[in-house]
Amino acid sequence: MELSARRQPPTVRLRRLAAELRRLRTEADLTREEVSEQTSINPATLYRIETARVRPQRRTLMAMLDTYGITDEDQRSELIALSQQATQLGWLQTYESELPELYTTYISFETEARSVHNYESLFVPGLLQTQDYARAVIKAGLPLATEEDIHARIEARIRRQESLRKKDPIRLWTIVDEAVLHRQVGSTKVTAEQLEVLAEAATQPHITLQVIPFDSGAHAGMPGSFVIMDFPNPADPALVYIDSMAGDLFLEHEADVRRFTTTFEHLQATALDPTSSIKAIEAQIHKIKEKGGAG
């Protein structure tokens, strides 16, 4: 039995389907090898289905449910519907062929998240970046990228921000190191405008922003940036995302999520409170304008 021919980046629904199929196989007391013997589905294919790498075709899914003894029609219909919805990418589908697979995977998760907790040590979080700031960050970070690649990434980054403006917006809690406020990205005008947008965003009821001042010394976030995403459906466990020079990494084991959640809590305690953080941003904007660089 074959999988859906088109490879799609994992989505929240595909991840939920994979978890449910793992659970059903475990409850049926079957190994992947035993399921393979009974269904003729390759064990490697079963592994990819159970780890949300691919979506099973309908006949593959039906064979798995038959083997697991799932006869309840409502349950079968629910899983079939979940499978059909698993590859719905919305606006992201426009950029699917232009963006790296792991980046589209991240965006698909972020789009459906209930809350995002983001720590950044070097630059303004993507959800709060202006277009000019984003261009400067992307061009510097990808020196070999074509203008088309840069344009696609900028557009995708700006489209991501719609999650903050929808009727039921993502709840964003972001913590940045003070270095983010002082680093010039693009021109001084671009940097000042970005900080003004950051200060304004921090006043929104669904956005919390904190700054870790230099005088706080060493802190728990110094090893690097990370994102923790929570989802509305209890069946979708929290997820940690790390973007580094070594590549993108997703962590979903409970121990890993707990470790990064604890780290974020330490950063919350170390950082300035939200009101003081806005004042720190405004003070830096004033310094830039005093030097005449924002004109």
Side-chain angles (χ1 to χ4, degrees):
M1 296 187 180
E2 298 178 353
L3 298 170
S4 179
R6 182 175 179 177
R7 176 66 184 269
Q8 297 273 352
T11 62
V12 171
R13 293 177 183 85
L14 185 59
R15 186 169 170 242
R16 191 187 312 159
L17 176 65
E20 184 64 11
L21 292 175
R22 289 197 306 270
R23 183 186 67 80
L24 293 174
R25 179 176 60 77
T26 300
E27 289 183 353
D29 197 23
L30 293 169
T31 64
R32 289 196 190 98
E33 290 71 20
E34 290 170 334
V35 174
S36 178
E37 290 175 2
Q38 296 182 39
T39 62
S40 298
I41 304 173
N42 188 286
T45 296
L46 286 170
Y47 172 78
R48 295 173 71 198
I49 291 172
E50 290 190 355
T51 54
R53 305 290 180 85
V54 291
R55 177 179 66 88
Q57 287 189 347
R58 183 186 177 95
R59 64 177 179 272
T60 302
L61 178 59
M62 300 299 282
M64 294 172 72
L65 297 180
D66 289 342
T67 303
Y68 302 155
I70 307 304
T71 58
D72 183 272
E73 286 303 320
D74 288 340
Q75 186 178 9
R76 291 171 73 94
S77 296
E78 183 179 337
L79 291 171
I80 291 169
L82 189 58
S83 178
Q84 292 172 339
Q85 299 165 4
T87 55
Q88 293 179 0
L89 298 176
W91 66 263
L92 184 57
Q93 192 164 356
T94 305
Y95 303 94
E96 187 185 354
S97 62
E98 301 174 343
L99 300 175
E101 181 181 329
L102 288 176
Y103 185 41
T104 57
T105 296
Y106 171 77
I107 297 174
S108 73
F109 287 143
E110 180 187 76
T111 301
E112 297 195 53
R114 173 185 59 191
S115 67
V116 171
H117 290 71
N118 184 192
Y119 165 69
E120 293 291 349
S121 59
L122 298 175
F123 47 76
V124 171
L127 282 173
L128 300 176
Q129 290 180 8
T130 66
Q131 185 166 323
D132 289 338
Y133 186 95
R135 175 177 289 278
V137 168
I138 293 168
K139 288 187 72 171
L142 300 170
L144 300 181
T146 65
E147 189 60 34
E148 291 75 14
D149 291 336
I150 292 171
H151 181 70
R153 284 177 177 262
I154 293 171
E155 279 198 342
R157 189 159 300 185
I158 299 305
R159 288 294 298 272
R160 283 170 54 198
Q161 297 174 6
E162 292 178 5
S163 295
L164 293 171
R165 296 189 290 270
K166 61 186 181 180
K167 185 176 180 181
D168 183 19
I170 284 179
R171 301 196 66 82
L172 174 64
W173 193 313
T174 186
I175 300 175
V176 299
D177 192 280
E178 187 178 349
V180 172
L181 310 186
H182 293 273
R183 182 176 300 281
Q184 179 175 314
V185 175
S187 65
T188 51
K189 181 175 185 293
V190 168
T191 303
E193 289 176 347
Q194 173 63 82
L195 293 181
E196 288 173 341
V197 168
L198 193 63
E200 172 60 28
T203 66
Q204 301 299 308
H206 57 288
I207 298 175
T208 302
L209 186 146
Q210 290 182 269
V211 174
I212 299 179
F214 286 142
D215 60 15
S216 66
H219 59 76
M222 293 180 74
S225 304
F226 61 90
V227 178
I228 306 170
M229 290 176 279
D230 291 294
F231 304 94
N233 194 317
D236 302 320
L239 186 69
V240 173
Y241 171 74
I242 302 171
D243 179 14
S244 72
M245 291 290 286
D248 299 1
L249 181 64
F250 290 94
L251 303 175
E252 55 185 323
H253 291 300
E254 186 177 345
D256 290 324
V257 174
R258 190 185 312 116
R259 176 162 55 91
F260 279 91
T261 299
T262 299
T263 298
F264 198 85
E265 290 170 351
H266 279 285
L267 294 174
Q268 288 173 312
T270 302
L272 298 173
D273 63 74
T275 299
S276 299
S277 294
I278 293 175
K279 289 180 180 178
I281 297 171
E282 292 174 339
Q284 182 59 17
I285 294 171
H286 182 69
K287 287 181 182 178
I288 294 174
K289 291 185 174 181
E290 264 194 336
K291 293 179 180 178

